[in-house]
Amino acid sequence: SLLLQIAQQSAEAGLFKRPEREPAIIERSLSLAETDRAKAIDMLEHYLGNGQDRDLVPLVRLHAGEHHRLLGDLESADKHFHWIKENRPQHTAREGAVLGLALTSLTQSASGNATATLKLVSESRAPDSMNADRYRMLAILEQENNDGESKEALYFAEKALSFSEAVSYTHLTLPT
């Protein structure tokens, strides 16, 4: 059938790629964080002390930093994010680290550069929790800048909700 041929050609062209799975250490940390985020951090940081896969270290640091951020330990989060940015600038985790730095910066005070970063980093380069917070902050900023009347604010709020559905916010500390 024609539909089957189109689907097969699309698959061969890479249009229906299987979603990439997170490495096992990341999946375990996300699962563990649902009940005990501190233990998830311990597991990731233990890996960092003993990890064998050099290419996996930046991704483990990104997730360790994100778990610290979600617990409100912004200093520890920033250390992980800065390490990635400074030591592995070509790694795919760098964009997530830049977004993490922007989120921690905006937690402390508003910044035009940090706000611009929220719009620039690719969603696929950051954990779902970062994307949820990114769009939550953008929705709030857009609403404040347009006296509560903004289609863009609604769009960002819907994106925040979409990402937050995939995240466990156990032990979450966020500014209001």
Side-chain angles (χ1 to χ4, degrees):
S1 87
L2 181 60
L3 186 57
L4 185 57
Q5 285 177 330
I6 292 171
Q8 185 175 0
Q9 289 171 348
S10 297
E12 289 169 3
L15 298 178
F16 295 118
K17 287 185 181 176
R18 192 179 213 156
E20 285 187 36
R21 290 188 57 165
E22 293 284 1
I25 183 91
I26 303 303
E27 286 186 352
R28 283 195 307 269
S29 77
L30 293 170
S31 178
L32 184 56
E34 291 179 17
T35 56
D36 193 337
R37 195 168 301 283
K39 281 188 180 177
I41 291 169
D42 289 343
M43 182 182 73
L44 292 171
E45 291 185 343
H46 177 76
Y47 180 87
L48 291 172
N50 303 306
Q52 301 299 315
D53 186 343
R54 183 183 183 293
D55 200 48
L56 190 54
V57 167
L59 188 59
V60 171
R61 281 192 175 273
L62 176 64
H63 282 268
E66 176 61 353
H67 287 307
H68 278 294
R69 187 184 73 81
L70 292 172
L71 279 178
D73 182 357
L74 303 182
E75 185 177 327
S76 294
D78 279 354
K79 285 180 185 177
H80 284 291
F81 299 147
H82 277 292
W83 186 94
I84 296 165
K85 193 175 164 191
E86 294 166 12
N87 294 291
R88 297 296 297 280
Q90 302 305 315
H91 195 278
T92 58
R94 183 187 183 281
E95 281 189 68
V98 169
L99 179 58
L101 290 167
L103 289 169
T104 60
S105 172
L106 286 169
T107 299
Q108 297 163 13
S109 66
S111 157
N113 287 342
T115 301
T117 299
L118 297 182
K119 294 180 180 180
L120 296 175
V121 173
S122 169
E123 291 173 355
S124 66
R125 303 287 191 193
D128 286 343
S129 53
M130 279 187 185
N131 283 318
D133 286 348
R134 163 218 316 246
Y135 289 117
R136 179 186 63 85
M137 288 182 176
L138 285 171
I140 291 167
L141 291 168
E142 189 65 33
Q143 185 176 14
E144 288 173 353
N145 291 337
N146 292 296
D147 298 323
E149 306 263 341
S150 169
K151 288 181 183 179
E152 217 172 20
L154 180 59
Y155 168 77
F156 290 139
E158 288 172 351
K159 298 251 328 167
L161 286 172
S162 173
F163 277 104
S164 70
E165 290 172 356
V167 178
S168 167
Y169 282 101
T170 306
H171 302 99
L172 179 64
T173 305
L174 286 176
T176 55

